[in-house]
Each structure stands twice: as structure tokens, then as C-alpha cells.
Amino acid sequence: MRKRWTSPLKARARAIRDELVLLLTLALSQSVGRDSSDAQACLLAHLLVATWAVAFTQAHLAYRRDSDEKGAKAVFLHVVDQGMVGVKAAAVGTPYV
């Protein structure tokens, strides 16, 4: 049986995610001397966090299904590699390359 997250737990997870995106956006924008509201930095931060979240979720599902730690790690790394293709594409033409 699948456990459901409570509304407060979901809200806290979203808040942590949003804080991470904010911190990544700030770090990226500061690294190239741009304002903290830089849209390109924000986009890249969101893509990085989304990539990590999807990779983690897929690896977790693979481990639950197969009980194979190496297989789950391979799934995680594969999804991260795929996501980074998108991140790199989004960074083209920006100072974040």
C-alpha cells in the first residue's frame, strides 16, 4: 500500500524546493555579476532542481521495484545525464555556459 503525504508535509517539501531554487538562482547570478532576479539564472536553477528531483524519484522507484542498489544508481545517473542535456541547452548564449 502506498503511503500518502500529508498536506503539511507536501507544503514543507515544496518550501524546501523553492528555497533551494532561490539559493541556486542567487549563486548563479552572483557568479556572473548579474542581479538576483536574473531570469536565465532562475530558469537554470529550476531545471537543475527538477532534474535532480526526477532522477531521485525514478531511482527510488527502480529500487523499490527491483531491490537493486546498482540498478537504482544507474537510473539516477542516466536521468541526471539526460536532464543536464537540457540544462546545457538552456544555458547556451548566456554567461552561465
Side-chain angles (χ1 to χ4, degrees), residues 5-77:
W5 286 24
T6 64
S7 292
L9 185 56
K10 287 180 189 178
R12 182 65 185 131
R14 286 186 194 108
I16 292 169
R17 180 204 58 213
D18 293 346
E19 175 101 8
L20 178 58
V21 169
L22 181 64
L23 291 171
L24 282 171
T25 300
L26 183 62
L28 284 167
S29 61
Q30 286 180 347
S31 74
V32 296
R34 287 197 169 178
D35 188 71
S36 62
S37 63
D38 182 59
Q40 292 168 331
C42 186
L43 174 63
L44 294 172
H46 275 278
L47 290 171
L48 286 166
V49 171
T51 295
W52 191 268
V54 172
F56 177 80
T57 300
Q58 292 301 309
H60 182 72
L61 290 171
Y63 183 78
R64 285 183 60 191
R65 181 187 63 238
D66 304 327
S67 298
D68 178 8
E69 187 176 327
K70 287 183 182 181
K73 182 178 178 179
V75 167
F76 179 84
L77 294 175

